[in-house]
Amino acid sequence: SFYSWWQLCLGNNRCDCLPQVSKRCAVIGGSGFLGRHLVEKLLDRGYSVSVFDIRQSYELPGVTFHQGDLCDKQALLSALKDVSLVFHCASPAPSSDDRLLFERVNIRGTQTVIQACLDAGVQKLVLTSSASVVFEGTDVKNGKEDLPYAKKPIDYYTQTKIEQEKLVLEACNKPKGFLTVAIRPHGIFGPRDPQLVPTLVDAARQGKMKFIIGDGTNLVDFTYVENVVHGHILAAEHLRADSPICGKPYHITNDEPIRFWDFMSEVLVGLGYPAPRFHLPYTLVYGLALLLLLLTWILRPVMSFKPTFTPMRVALAGTYHYYSCEHAKEHLGYKPVVSLKEGIARTVASYPHLRRGA
Ligand SMILES: NC(=O)C1=CN([C@@H]2O[C@H](COP(=O)(O)OP(=O)(O)OC[C@H]3O[C@@H](n4cnc5c(N)ncnc54)[C@H](OP(=O)(O)O)[C@@H]3O)[C@@H](O)[C@H]2O)C=CC1
Ligand SMILES: CC(C)CCC[C@@H](C)[C@H]1CC[C@H]2C3=C(CC[C@]12C)[C@@]1(C)CCC(=O)C[C@@H]1CC3
């Protein structure tokens, strides 16, 4: 009957049986890891997409590319023409550790993005923030969105992500018809991730993944990229003037905290490398990482090298950092669409070139 067909549509949370209306949006940072997954899902859902990025990494029907720096308002304006919804997921890589670059792109660049959105008449801005904005290098267990921003952020990346999130949430202005929301993912992984799995495999290939930092019981969130994308699209589609989500941040996770070292071991073993086995005290490794960092600064004029174990990575590897996504469930109707087990299996299968011996 019509009634049961309609119930089926509503139950799916999305009506696959009705034609999708064409909608136009922009993804700033759409050439990156998360950005490209987001673009692909938006196309699936009937959006046409304008990608703005400093580089173009692919071509897809339904996508218009605009290459430029987000600090350049004029360049942004041409990408935002006729766009009512903008996703901002561009950032320099956390490993770049370049304070001036982070300040220029994440702070001043985000101010430019907001101004360009206002000038172009954009109605909704969805920012990709990070759950790390509340992380100070000590345990966070089931952290909710009301935790204060980190007073001592662990690095420049986190420091500028805090400023960026504040700017976007404060720009939310219902009378002006400009609505904003921030998604705070944590530990995104999945096919084409340039960071987590490649760094891990690189360390394993150099024989550096034999050790577990600390007792190995610390729980952490790792979030499959499609769940992060799902959270972004739900936020965009729930962002209306009468919605409680305006000007608010939302944690998006897999809702399955896992021991940091179990996750690392599953990925490593899946790719044919041995799992880490020997324990090292957390404070010892953290101290060594600080020493190594100091050495890179002292030696910078004569030689440059990038240590695998930075203080930031050691802090992330040896502490609890998992977050509650109850607010996203309540306000956005969020529920992870891919389990951790399935996400790890898909990720491992997507990296044949990183397998041991390949
Ligand atoms: N990966 C993770 O675990 C997490 C990521 N995040 C956030 O998610 C977002 C996406 O991250 P992810 O996909 O991993 O990162 P990527 O580096 O893969 O994607 C970011 C994209 O933005 C581009 N970009 C950088 N600077 C500029 C600029 N000035 N103007 C235009 N484009 C620029 C990058 O280009 P190029 O590569 O050339 O620099 C890249 O294409 C970021 O905001 C990040 O802070 C949050 C939590 C966890
Ligand atoms: C060498 C090993 C001890 C660790 C290898 C894996 C790490 C590269 C990753 C483990 C946790 C990841 C993580 C991020 C980047 C990659 C890891 C450090 C972020 C810093 C990315 C940006 C964020 O917003 C927060 C992430 C937290 C987890």
Side-chain angles (χ1 to χ4, degrees):
S1 69
F2 175 81
Y3 179 75
S4 50
W5 169 81
W6 184 240
Q7 286 300 310
L8 202 73
C9 290
L10 292 177
N12 281 346
N13 197 20
R14 169 196 164 191
C15 191
D16 284 318
C17 27
L18 285 176
Q20 295 286 300
V21 184
S22 173
K23 300 159 271 188
R24 187 155 187 78
C25 65
V27 180
I28 303 173
S31 283
F33 162 51
L34 171 65
R36 180 169 171 186
H37 280 276
L38 178 58
V39 169
E40 288 169 351
K41 183 55 80 182
L42 287 165
L43 293 172
D44 270 5
R45 290 185 61 93
Y47 287 85
S48 63
V49 187
S50 179
V51 165
F52 185 91
D53 201 295
I54 205 150
R55 62 187 166 99
Q56 175 171 358
S57 61
Y58 59 95
E59 276 180 39
L60 273 178
V63 179
T64 332
F65 274 93
H66 299 261
Q67 206 169 338
D69 188 324
L70 60 81
C71 301
D72 175 353
K73 193 170 88 172
Q74 288 314 315
L76 273 172
L77 281 173
S78 67
L80 302 189
K81 202 165 171 289
D82 300 326
V83 160
S84 59
L85 164 63
V86 172
F87 295 92
H88 174 12
C89 55
S91 167
S95 56
S96 70
D97 202 37
D98 180 336
R99 182 170 64 87
L100 295 178
L101 178 69
F102 285 127
E103 285 175 356
R104 189 178 74 81
V105 178
N106 287 350
I107 303 180
R108 292 197 297 284
T110 298
Q111 284 168 330
T112 309
V113 168
I114 294 169
Q115 199 48 57
C117 285
L118 290 168
D119 291 359
V122 168
Q123 288 151 20
K124 302 180 187 186
L125 172 62
V126 180
L127 171 73
T128 314
S129 178
S130 168
S132 293
V133 295
V134 299
F135 183 66
E136 290 196 322
T138 52
D139 294 344
V140 176
K141 297 181 180 177
N142 205 35
K144 302 216 169 46
E145 289 83 347
D146 59 3
L147 282 176
Y149 288 116
K151 283 187 195 65
K152 288 185 208 144
I154 53 172
D155 53 16
Y156 300 129
Y157 165 79
T158 315
Q159 189 179 325
T160 57
K161 290 297 281 184
I162 294 174
E163 294 312 316
Q164 177 191 53
E165 185 184 282
K166 287 183 185 167
L167 285 168
V168 169
L169 297 183
E170 282 163 12
C172 188
N173 188 329
K174 291 185 190 177
K176 274 195 185 164
F178 183 57
L179 307 179
T180 65
V181 64
I183 295 300
R184 290 179 178 175
H186 196 57
I188 312 176
F189 73 101
R192 302 193 297 253
D193 152 45
Q195 201 173 203
L196 200 157
V197 176
T199 308
L200 188 59
V201 167
D202 193 44
R205 285 181 171 166
Q206 292 178 47
K208 293 179 182 170
M209 288 309 292
K210 294 187 170 57
F211 302 99
I212 294 172
I213 301 170
D215 66 6
T217 59
N218 53 310
L219 295 174
V220 166
D221 277 322
F222 287 100
T223 313
Y224 188 64
V225 64
E226 285 188 26
N227 294 325
V228 179
V229 164
H230 184 50
H232 279 71
I233 297 180
L234 284 174
E237 295 183 348
H238 281 75
L239 193 56
R240 289 183 300 266
D242 59 353
S243 147
I245 76 168
C246 296
K248 300 265 163 52
Y250 286 91
H251 292 155
I252 290 293
T253 71
N254 244 80
D255 206 17
E256 290 176 85
I258 179 173
R259 288 179 173 196
F260 181 94
W261 293 98
D262 284 354
F263 180 87
M264 295 298 141
S265 298
E266 281 190 38
V267 175
L268 285 173
V269 170
L271 289 168
Y273 301 90
R277 282 196 302 146
F278 310 107
H279 289 264
L280 285 176
Y282 176 76
T283 39
L284 172 77
V285 185
Y286 193 80
L288 286 175
L290 279 176
L291 214 64
L292 210 58
L293 183 69
L294 192 71
L295 218 63
T296 59
W297 283 338
I298 295 170
L299 295 178
R300 197 168 279 174
V302 275
M303 62 182 288
S304 84
F305 65 98
K306 278 203 157 194
T308 308
F309 290 90
T310 60
M312 183 268 271
R313 285 184 188 158
V314 173
L316 288 166
T319 56
Y320 287 73
H321 39 104
Y322 66 96
Y323 300 84
S324 160
C325 58
E326 287 309 308
H327 286 165
K329 289 182 185 167
E330 192 185 326
H331 295 164
L332 308 178
Y334 172 74
K335 189 169 167 278
V337 285
V338 179
S339 69
L340 203 55
K341 190 166 183 278
E342 175 63 19
I344 295 174
R346 289 191 201 175
T347 305
V348 164
S350 75
Y351 285 103
H353 57 291
L354 293 186
R355 294 193 75 82
R356 192 177 187 189

PDB file of all heavy atoms in Angstrom, residues 91-92 99 101-104 106-107 110 133 153 155-165:
ATOM      1  N   SER A  91      42.534  21.919   5.452  1.00  0.00           N
ATOM      2  CA  SER A  91      43.501  22.284   6.506  1.00  0.00           C
ATOM      3  C   SER A  91      44.869  21.793   6.068  1.00  0.00           C
ATOM      4  O   SER A  91      44.953  20.779   5.376  1.00  0.00           O
ATOM      5  CB  SER A  91      43.120  21.596   7.824  1.00  0.00           C
ATOM      6  OG  SER A  91      44.187  21.698   8.758  1.00  0.00           O
ATOM      7  N   PRO A  92      45.942  22.473   6.483  1.00  0.00           N
ATOM      8  CA  PRO A  92      47.257  21.863   6.269  1.00  0.00           C
ATOM      9  C   PRO A  92      47.336  20.583   7.106  1.00  0.00           C
ATOM     10  O   PRO A  92      46.651  20.453   8.120  1.00  0.00           O
ATOM     11  CB  PRO A  92      48.234  22.925   6.809  1.00  0.00           C
ATOM     12  CG  PRO A  92      47.444  24.204   6.869  1.00  0.00           C
ATOM     13  CD  PRO A  92      46.023  23.794   7.127  1.00  0.00           C
ATOM     14  N   ARG A  99      53.711  26.630  12.239  1.00  0.00           N
ATOM     15  CA  ARG A  99      52.805  27.548  12.947  1.00  0.00           C
ATOM     16  C   ARG A  99      52.225  28.621  12.032  1.00  0.00           C
ATOM     17  O   ARG A  99      51.026  28.866  12.022  1.00  0.00           O
ATOM     18  CB  ARG A  99      53.539  28.218  14.127  1.00  0.00           C
ATOM     19  CG  ARG A  99      52.650  29.156  14.936  1.00  0.00           C
ATOM     20  CD  ARG A  99      53.338  29.584  16.217  1.00  0.00           C
ATOM     21  NE  ARG A  99      54.550  30.360  15.980  1.00  0.00           N
ATOM     22  CZ  ARG A  99      54.585  31.678  15.806  1.00  0.00           C
ATOM     23  NH1 ARG A  99      53.475  32.372  15.838  1.00  0.00           N
ATOM     24  NH2 ARG A  99      55.737  32.296  15.604  1.00  0.00           N
ATOM     25  N   LEU A 101      51.886  28.660   8.798  1.00  0.00           N
ATOM     26  CA  LEU A 101      50.958  28.106   7.803  1.00  0.00           C
ATOM     27  C   LEU A 101      49.599  27.809   8.449  1.00  0.00           C
ATOM     28  O   LEU A 101      48.545  28.151   7.906  1.00  0.00           O
ATOM     29  CB  LEU A 101      51.556  26.823   7.196  1.00  0.00           C
ATOM     30  CG  LEU A 101      50.678  26.114   6.168  1.00  0.00           C
ATOM     31  CD1 LEU A 101      50.558  26.951   4.892  1.00  0.00           C
ATOM     32  CD2 LEU A 101      51.245  24.730   5.816  1.00  0.00           C
ATOM     33  N   PHE A 102      49.611  27.183   9.633  1.00  0.00           N
ATOM     34  CA  PHE A 102      48.337  26.883  10.317  1.00  0.00           C
ATOM     35  C   PHE A 102      47.566  28.166  10.613  1.00  0.00           C
ATOM     36  O   PHE A 102      46.357  28.223  10.438  1.00  0.00           O
ATOM     37  CB  PHE A 102      48.578  26.123  11.629  1.00  0.00           C
ATOM     38  CG  PHE A 102      48.936  24.672  11.434  1.00  0.00           C
ATOM     39  CD1 PHE A 102      50.079  24.136  12.015  1.00  0.00           C
ATOM     40  CD2 PHE A 102      48.124  23.841  10.684  1.00  0.00           C
ATOM     41  CE1 PHE A 102      50.405  22.800  11.843  1.00  0.00           C
ATOM     42  CE2 PHE A 102      48.442  22.498  10.505  1.00  0.00           C
ATOM     43  CZ  PHE A 102      49.592  21.990  11.088  1.00  0.00           C
ATOM     44  N   GLU A 103      48.303  29.201  11.090  1.00  0.00           N
ATOM     45  CA  GLU A 103      47.612  30.457  11.426  1.00  0.00           C
ATOM     46  C   GLU A 103      47.020  31.101  10.173  1.00  0.00           C
ATOM     47  O   GLU A 103      45.902  31.591  10.173  1.00  0.00           O
ATOM     48  CB  GLU A 103      48.577  31.423  12.126  1.00  0.00           C
ATOM     49  CG  GLU A 103      48.813  30.977  13.563  1.00  0.00           C
ATOM     50  CD  GLU A 103      49.854  31.818  14.291  1.00  0.00           C
ATOM     51  OE1 GLU A 103      50.465  32.712  13.654  1.00  0.00           O
ATOM     52  OE2 GLU A 103      50.060  31.567  15.477  1.00  0.00           O
ATOM     53  N   ARG A 104      47.793  31.048   9.094  1.00  0.00           N
ATOM     54  CA  ARG A 104      47.324  31.694   7.855  1.00  0.00           C
ATOM     55  C   ARG A 104      46.090  30.965   7.298  1.00  0.00           C
ATOM     56  O   ARG A 104      45.077  31.588   6.974  1.00  0.00           O
ATOM     57  CB  ARG A 104      48.457  31.689   6.808  1.00  0.00           C
ATOM     58  CG  ARG A 104      48.149  32.512   5.577  1.00  0.00           C
ATOM     59  CD  ARG A 104      49.312  32.520   4.590  1.00  0.00           C
ATOM     60  NE  ARG A 104      49.429  31.257   3.879  1.00  0.00           N
ATOM     61  CZ  ARG A 104      48.688  30.921   2.834  1.00  0.00           C
ATOM     62  NH1 ARG A 104      47.770  31.738   2.376  1.00  0.00           N
ATOM     63  NH2 ARG A 104      48.854  29.761   2.233  1.00  0.00           N
ATOM     64  N   ASN A 106      44.186  28.130   8.742  1.00  0.00           N
ATOM     65  CA  ASN A 106      43.065  27.748   9.623  1.00  0.00           C
ATOM     66  C   ASN A 106      42.393  28.946  10.299  1.00  0.00           C
ATOM     67  O   ASN A 106      41.192  28.902  10.562  1.00  0.00           O
ATOM     68  CB  ASN A 106      43.533  26.749  10.698  1.00  0.00           C
ATOM     69  CG  ASN A 106      43.789  25.364  10.106  1.00  0.00           C
ATOM     70  OD1 ASN A 106      43.454  25.110   8.953  1.00  0.00           O
ATOM     71  ND2 ASN A 106      44.386  24.477  10.883  1.00  0.00           N
ATOM     72  N   ILE A 107      43.147  30.005  10.570  1.00  0.00           N
ATOM     73  CA  ILE A 107      42.526  31.148  11.249  1.00  0.00           C
ATOM     74  C   ILE A 107      42.149  32.217  10.227  1.00  0.00           C
ATOM     75  O   ILE A 107      40.965  32.435   9.959  1.00  0.00           O
ATOM     76  CB  ILE A 107      43.423  31.714  12.370  1.00  0.00           C
ATOM     77  CG1 ILE A 107      43.763  30.597  13.385  1.00  0.00           C
ATOM     78  CG2 ILE A 107      42.707  32.889  13.068  1.00  0.00           C
ATOM     79  CD1 ILE A 107      44.632  30.995  14.538  1.00  0.00           C
ATOM     80  N   THR A 110      39.995  30.910   7.387  1.00  0.00           N
ATOM     81  CA  THR A 110      38.601  30.624   7.766  1.00  0.00           C
ATOM     82  C   THR A 110      37.804  31.924   7.877  1.00  0.00           C
ATOM     83  O   THR A 110      36.627  31.963   7.502  1.00  0.00           O
ATOM     84  CB  THR A 110      38.558  29.781   9.062  1.00  0.00           C
ATOM     85  OG1 THR A 110      39.219  28.541   8.777  1.00  0.00           O
ATOM     86  CG2 THR A 110      37.138  29.499   9.521  1.00  0.00           C
ATOM     87  N   VAL A 133      40.101  19.382  19.744  1.00  0.00           N
ATOM     88  CA  VAL A 133      40.082  20.757  20.284  1.00  0.00           C
ATOM     89  C   VAL A 133      39.953  20.772  21.813  1.00  0.00           C
ATOM     90  O   VAL A 133      40.200  21.795  22.442  1.00  0.00           O
ATOM     91  CB  VAL A 133      38.969  21.641  19.642  1.00  0.00           C
ATOM     92  CG1 VAL A 133      39.237  21.863  18.166  1.00  0.00           C
ATOM     93  CG2 VAL A 133      37.573  21.069  19.871  1.00  0.00           C
ATOM     94  N   PRO A 153      46.830  23.356  24.104  1.00  0.00           N
ATOM     95  CA  PRO A 153      46.691  22.419  22.982  1.00  0.00           C
ATOM     96  C   PRO A 153      48.017  21.707  22.706  1.00  0.00           C
ATOM     97  O   PRO A 153      49.084  22.289  22.942  1.00  0.00           O
ATOM     98  CB  PRO A 153      46.291  23.313  21.804  1.00  0.00           C
ATOM     99  CG  PRO A 153      45.945  24.643  22.388  1.00  0.00           C
ATOM    100  CD  PRO A 153      46.587  24.755  23.718  1.00  0.00           C
ATOM    101  N   ASP A 155      49.517  20.889  19.963  1.00  0.00           N
ATOM    102  CA  ASP A 155      50.355  21.382  18.857  1.00  0.00           C
ATOM    103  C   ASP A 155      49.678  22.579  18.166  1.00  0.00           C
ATOM    104  O   ASP A 155      48.549  22.937  18.507  1.00  0.00           O
ATOM    105  CB  ASP A 155      50.655  20.264  17.842  1.00  0.00           C
ATOM    106  CG  ASP A 155      49.392  19.568  17.352  1.00  0.00           C
ATOM    107  OD1 ASP A 155      48.288  20.107  17.543  1.00  0.00           O
ATOM    108  OD2 ASP A 155      49.500  18.487  16.758  1.00  0.00           O
ATOM    109  N   TYR A 156      50.369  23.183  17.183  1.00  0.00           N
ATOM    110  CA  TYR A 156      49.811  24.354  16.475  1.00  0.00           C
ATOM    111  C   TYR A 156      48.562  23.990  15.705  1.00  0.00           C
ATOM    112  O   TYR A 156      47.647  24.786  15.556  1.00  0.00           O
ATOM    113  CB  TYR A 156      50.840  24.949  15.492  1.00  0.00           C
ATOM    114  CG  TYR A 156      52.111  25.414  16.152  1.00  0.00           C
ATOM    115  CD1 TYR A 156      53.351  25.007  15.670  1.00  0.00           C
ATOM    116  CD2 TYR A 156      52.077  26.268  17.255  1.00  0.00           C
ATOM    117  CE1 TYR A 156      54.525  25.431  16.269  1.00  0.00           C
ATOM    118  CE2 TYR A 156      53.240  26.694  17.851  1.00  0.00           C
ATOM    119  CZ  TYR A 156      54.461  26.271  17.357  1.00  0.00           C
ATOM    120  OH  TYR A 156      55.617  26.680  17.936  1.00  0.00           O
ATOM    121  N   TYR A 157      48.561  22.754  15.179  1.00  0.00           N
ATOM    122  CA  TYR A 157      47.371  22.299  14.432  1.00  0.00           C
ATOM    123  C   TYR A 157      46.146  22.419  15.333  1.00  0.00           C
ATOM    124  O   TYR A 157      45.154  23.058  14.976  1.00  0.00           O
ATOM    125  CB  TYR A 157      47.590  20.842  13.981  1.00  0.00           C
ATOM    126  CG  TYR A 157      46.318  20.143  13.532  1.00  0.00           C
ATOM    127  CD1 TYR A 157      45.781  20.377  12.266  1.00  0.00           C
ATOM    128  CD2 TYR A 157      45.644  19.256  14.381  1.00  0.00           C
ATOM    129  CE1 TYR A 157      44.614  19.744  11.866  1.00  0.00           C
ATOM    130  CE2 TYR A 157      44.484  18.619  13.983  1.00  0.00           C
ATOM    131  CZ  TYR A 157      43.973  18.866  12.720  1.00  0.00           C
ATOM    132  OH  TYR A 157      42.808  18.246  12.326  1.00  0.00           O
ATOM    133  N   THR A 158      46.219  21.823  16.524  1.00  0.00           N
ATOM    134  CA  THR A 158      45.072  21.835  17.441  1.00  0.00           C
ATOM    135  C   THR A 158      44.742  23.257  17.883  1.00  0.00           C
ATOM    136  O   THR A 158      43.569  23.636  17.963  1.00  0.00           O
ATOM    137  CB  THR A 158      45.386  20.957  18.686  1.00  0.00           C
ATOM    138  OG1 THR A 158      45.970  19.734  18.229  1.00  0.00           O
ATOM    139  CG2 THR A 158      44.141  20.652  19.470  1.00  0.00           C
ATOM    140  N   GLN A 159      45.786  24.035  18.184  1.00  0.00           N
ATOM    141  CA  GLN A 159      45.582  25.424  18.617  1.00  0.00           C
ATOM    142  C   GLN A 159      44.774  26.204  17.572  1.00  0.00           C
ATOM    143  O   GLN A 159      43.824  26.919  17.896  1.00  0.00           O
ATOM    144  CB  GLN A 159      46.966  26.051  18.792  1.00  0.00           C
ATOM    145  CG  GLN A 159      46.966  27.404  19.442  1.00  0.00           C
ATOM    146  CD  GLN A 159      48.406  27.906  19.571  1.00  0.00           C
ATOM    147  OE1 GLN A 159      49.346  27.137  19.800  1.00  0.00           O
ATOM    148  NE2 GLN A 159      48.583  29.192  19.408  1.00  0.00           N
ATOM    149  N   THR A 160      45.111  26.002  16.290  1.00  0.00           N
ATOM    150  CA  THR A 160      44.414  26.778  15.249  1.00  0.00           C
ATOM    151  C   THR A 160      43.060  26.157  14.909  1.00  0.00           C
ATOM    152  O   THR A 160      42.158  26.856  14.453  1.00  0.00           O
ATOM    153  CB  THR A 160      45.290  26.931  13.983  1.00  0.00           C
ATOM    154  OG1 THR A 160      45.658  25.633  13.510  1.00  0.00           O
ATOM    155  CG2 THR A 160      46.543  27.736  14.279  1.00  0.00           C
ATOM    156  N   LYS A 161      42.892  24.849  15.155  1.00  0.00           N
ATOM    157  CA  LYS A 161      41.559  24.238  14.953  1.00  0.00           C
ATOM    158  C   LYS A 161      40.589  24.807  16.000  1.00  0.00           C
ATOM    159  O   LYS A 161      39.416  24.988  15.724  1.00  0.00           O
ATOM    160  CB  LYS A 161      41.608  22.706  15.063  1.00  0.00           C
ATOM    161  CG  LYS A 161      42.306  21.973  13.942  1.00  0.00           C
ATOM    162  CD  LYS A 161      41.665  22.138  12.582  1.00  0.00           C
ATOM    163  CE  LYS A 161      40.455  21.299  12.320  1.00  0.00           C
ATOM    164  NZ  LYS A 161      39.950  21.455  10.920  1.00  0.00           N
ATOM    165  N   ILE A 162      41.082  25.109  17.197  1.00  0.00           N
ATOM    166  CA  ILE A 162      40.219  25.705  18.239  1.00  0.00           C
ATOM    167  C   ILE A 162      39.741  27.076  17.765  1.00  0.00           C
ATOM    168  O   ILE A 162      38.548  27.380  17.774  1.00  0.00           O
ATOM    169  CB  ILE A 162      40.992  25.843  19.576  1.00  0.00           C
ATOM    170  CG1 ILE A 162      41.338  24.466  20.143  1.00  0.00           C
ATOM    171  CG2 ILE A 162      40.188  26.668  20.592  1.00  0.00           C
ATOM    172  CD1 ILE A 162      42.214  24.484  21.385  1.00  0.00           C
ATOM    173  N   GLU A 163      40.688  27.903  17.314  1.00  0.00           N
ATOM    174  CA  GLU A 163      40.328  29.261  16.863  1.00  0.00           C
ATOM    175  C   GLU A 163      39.372  29.181  15.680  1.00  0.00           C
ATOM    176  O   GLU A 163      38.423  29.953  15.576  1.00  0.00           O
ATOM    177  CB  GLU A 163      41.590  30.061  16.477  1.00  0.00           C
ATOM    178  CG  GLU A 163      42.523  30.364  17.637  1.00  0.00           C
ATOM    179  CD  GLU A 163      41.799  30.932  18.849  1.00  0.00           C
ATOM    180  OE1 GLU A 163      40.945  31.812  18.675  1.00  0.00           O
ATOM    181  OE2 GLU A 163      42.065  30.449  19.978  1.00  0.00           O
ATOM    182  N   GLN A 164      39.644  28.260  14.789  1.00  0.00           N
ATOM    183  CA  GLN A 164      38.808  28.095  13.595  1.00  0.00           C
ATOM    184  C   GLN A 164      37.362  27.730  13.989  1.00  0.00           C
ATOM    185  O   GLN A 164      36.396  28.319  13.492  1.00  0.00           O
ATOM    186  CB  GLN A 164      39.399  26.963  12.742  1.00  0.00           C
ATOM    187  CG  GLN A 164      38.592  26.635  11.516  1.00  0.00           C
ATOM    188  CD  GLN A 164      39.062  25.351  10.851  1.00  0.00           C
ATOM    189  OE1 GLN A 164      39.169  24.301  11.481  1.00  0.00           O
ATOM    190  NE2 GLN A 164      39.344  25.433   9.568  1.00  0.00           N
ATOM    191  N   GLU A 165      37.235  26.784  14.920  1.00  0.00           N
ATOM    192  CA  GLU A 165      35.880  26.367  15.328  1.00  0.00           C
ATOM    193  C   GLU A 165      35.127  27.526  15.976  1.00  0.00           C
ATOM    194  O   GLU A 165      33.951  27.768  15.687  1.00  0.00           O
ATOM    195  CB  GLU A 165      35.950  25.168  16.287  1.00  0.00           C
ATOM    196  CG  GLU A 165      34.558  24.661  16.616  1.00  0.00           C
ATOM    197  CD  GLU A 165      34.509  23.548  17.633  1.00  0.00           C
ATOM    198  OE1 GLU A 165      34.786  22.398  17.282  1.00  0.00           O
ATOM    199  OE2 GLU A 165      34.174  23.841  18.819  1.00  0.00           O
TER     200      GLU A 165
END
